[in-house]
Amino acid sequence: MLLKIQKWGNSLGIRIPATFAREAEIRNGSPVNVSVSGGAIVVKKAAPNHTLEELLSGVTQDNIHSEVYTSAPCGKEAW
Protein backbone atom coordinates (compact mmCIF):
# COMPACT_ATOMS: atom_id res chain seq x y z
CA MET A 1 0.00 0.00 0.00
CA LEU A 2 1.40 3.38 -0.96
CA LEU A 3 1.09 5.97 1.83
CA LYS A 4 2.22 9.58 1.97
CA ILE A 5 4.51 11.01 4.66
CA GLN A 6 3.06 14.23 6.08
CA LYS A 7 4.41 16.96 8.33
CA TRP A 8 3.20 16.73 11.94
CA GLY A 9 4.55 19.65 13.99
CA ASN A 10 8.33 19.49 13.63
CA SER A 11 8.19 15.76 12.83
CA LEU A 12 6.92 13.56 10.02
CA GLY A 13 4.15 10.99 10.29
CA ILE A 14 2.01 8.48 8.44
CA ARG A 15 -1.49 7.24 9.14
CA ILE A 16 -1.80 3.52 9.73
CA PRO A 17 -4.86 2.14 7.92
CA ALA A 18 -7.49 0.63 10.24
CA THR A 19 -7.15 -2.83 8.63
CA PHE A 20 -3.41 -2.86 9.39
CA ALA A 21 -4.01 -1.66 12.96
CA ARG A 22 -6.58 -4.42 13.57
CA GLU A 23 -4.30 -7.09 12.15
CA ALA A 24 -1.36 -5.85 14.27
CA GLU A 25 -3.69 -5.57 17.30
CA ILE A 26 -2.77 -1.94 17.97
CA ARG A 27 -5.08 0.96 18.82
CA ASN A 28 -4.85 4.61 19.71
CA GLY A 29 -2.26 4.93 22.49
CA SER A 30 -0.62 1.52 21.94
CA PRO A 31 3.12 1.60 22.67
CA VAL A 32 5.35 0.67 19.71
CA ASN A 33 9.08 0.35 19.09
CA VAL A 34 10.42 2.13 16.01
CA SER A 35 13.80 1.29 14.49
CA VAL A 36 15.68 1.60 11.21
CA SER A 37 17.00 -1.57 9.57
CA GLY A 38 18.69 -1.55 6.18
CA GLY A 39 17.16 1.81 5.29
CA ALA A 40 13.64 0.64 6.22
CA ILE A 41 11.59 2.07 9.09
CA VAL A 42 10.30 -0.82 11.22
CA VAL A 43 7.38 -0.35 13.62
CA LYS A 44 6.68 -3.20 16.08
CA LYS A 45 4.11 -3.49 18.84
CA ALA A 46 5.86 -3.18 22.20
CA ALA A 47 5.66 -6.04 24.67
CA PRO A 48 3.17 -5.41 27.48
CA ASN A 49 4.67 -3.89 30.62
CA HIS A 50 2.77 -5.57 33.46
CA THR A 51 3.21 -4.61 37.10
CA LEU A 52 4.20 -7.20 39.68
CA GLU A 53 0.72 -6.92 41.20
CA GLU A 54 -0.89 -7.69 37.81
CA LEU A 55 1.34 -10.73 37.33
CA LEU A 56 0.75 -12.04 40.86
CA SER A 57 -3.03 -11.59 40.57
CA GLY A 58 -3.08 -14.71 38.38
CA VAL A 59 -1.49 -16.91 41.06
CA THR A 60 -3.99 -19.07 42.95
CA GLN A 61 -3.81 -22.04 45.30
CA ASP A 62 -4.70 -24.23 42.29
CA ASN A 63 -1.80 -23.13 40.07
CA ILE A 64 1.01 -22.37 42.53
CA HIS A 65 3.80 -24.94 42.64
CA SER A 66 5.56 -26.34 45.67
CA GLU A 67 9.17 -25.70 46.62
CA VAL A 68 11.76 -26.82 44.07
CA TYR A 69 15.11 -28.23 45.17
CA THR A 70 17.78 -27.97 42.50
CA SER A 71 20.71 -29.52 44.37
CA ALA A 72 21.92 -30.70 47.72
CA PRO A 73 23.44 -28.17 50.13
CA CYS A 74 27.04 -27.42 49.11
CA GLY A 75 28.21 -25.10 51.86
CA LYS A 76 27.12 -24.24 55.39
CA GLU A 77 23.43 -23.80 54.56
CA ALA A 78 21.09 -24.57 57.44
CA TRP A 79 17.93 -26.46 56.44
Side-chain angles (χ1 to χ4, degrees), residues 5-14:
I5 301 291
Q6 297 180 326
K7 188 150 178 68
W8 189 359
N10 290 328
S11 300
L12 299 174
I14 61 169

Side-chain angles (χ1 to χ4, degrees), residues 5-7 9 15-16 20 26-27 33 43-44 46 48-51 53 55 61-62 64 75 77:
I5 301 291
Q6 297 180 326
K7 188 150 178 68
R15 291 186 180 183
I16 299 172
F20 287 10
I26 59 172
R27 23 190 116 28
N33 289 313
V43 180
K44 291 185 179 181
N49 190 11
H50 298 292
T51 65
E53 288 77 21
L55 295 172
Q61 289 299 321
D62 295 329
I64 194 167
E77 295 94 343

Side-chain angles (χ1 to χ4, degrees):
M1 172 180 284
L2 183 63
L3 300 174
K4 187 175 183 179
I5 301 291
Q6 297 180 326
K7 188 150 178 68
W8 189 359
N10 290 328
S11 300
L12 299 174
I14 61 169
R15 291 186 180 183
I16 299 172
T19 54
F20 287 10
R22 277 193 297 275
E23 187 173 333
E25 297 179 353
I26 59 172
R27 23 190 116 28
N28 185 35
S30 293
V32 294
N33 289 313
V34 180
S35 60
V36 176
S37 177
I41 298 172
V42 180
V43 180
K44 291 185 179 181
K45 184 170 62 170
N49 190 11
H50 298 292
T51 65
L52 179 59
E53 288 77 21
E54 289 172 330
L55 295 172
L56 291 176
S57 69
V59 178
T60 66
Q61 289 299 321
D62 295 329
N63 66 12
I64 194 167
H65 61 79
S66 59
E67 292 182 45
V68 177
Y69 293 98
T70 57
S71 65
C74 60
K76 296 184 179 183
E77 295 94 343
W79 303 101

